Amino acid sequence: MGLILSIETSTDTCSVALSKEGKTVAHRTIVQGQSHASALTVIIEEMFHGEGSPNIKQLEAVAVSCGPG
């Protein structure tokens, strides 16, 4: 599988990762209580706009957790 964006927000920790061919190519984790919505889009945007970052058009799938809440 190509580029996958993975999102985990079910706890106080918000994690976002990009993986390609089963290997993590970028990740970011923040702990800021239950206010992930305000940071999630910023984190994702930063992952695609850094030097050497993949192009968002290469994204093939989005994976999300189905945690509590």
Side-chain angles (χ1 to χ4, degrees):
M1 168 120 328
L3 190 64
I4 301 172
L5 173 66
S6 301
I7 302 169
E8 164 59 54
T9 61
S10 64
T11 66
D12 286 345
T13 303
C14 177
S15 298
V16 178
L18 286 173
S19 60
K20 187 169 186 174
E21 306 303 328
K23 297 185 191 269
T24 301
V25 295
H27 71 280
R28 177 127 183 245
T29 300
I30 60 168
V31 179
Q32 66 177 44
Q34 295 295 323
S35 59
H36 304 319
S38 63
L40 191 58
T41 55
V42 174
I43 295 170
I44 293 170
E45 184 176 345
E46 288 173 354
M47 294 185 104
F48 285 103
H49 286 94
E51 187 173 327
S53 297
N55 188 309
I56 198 164
K57 292 179 181 180
Q58 296 172 305
L59 193 61
E60 292 188 18
V62 176
V64 295
S65 64
C66 294

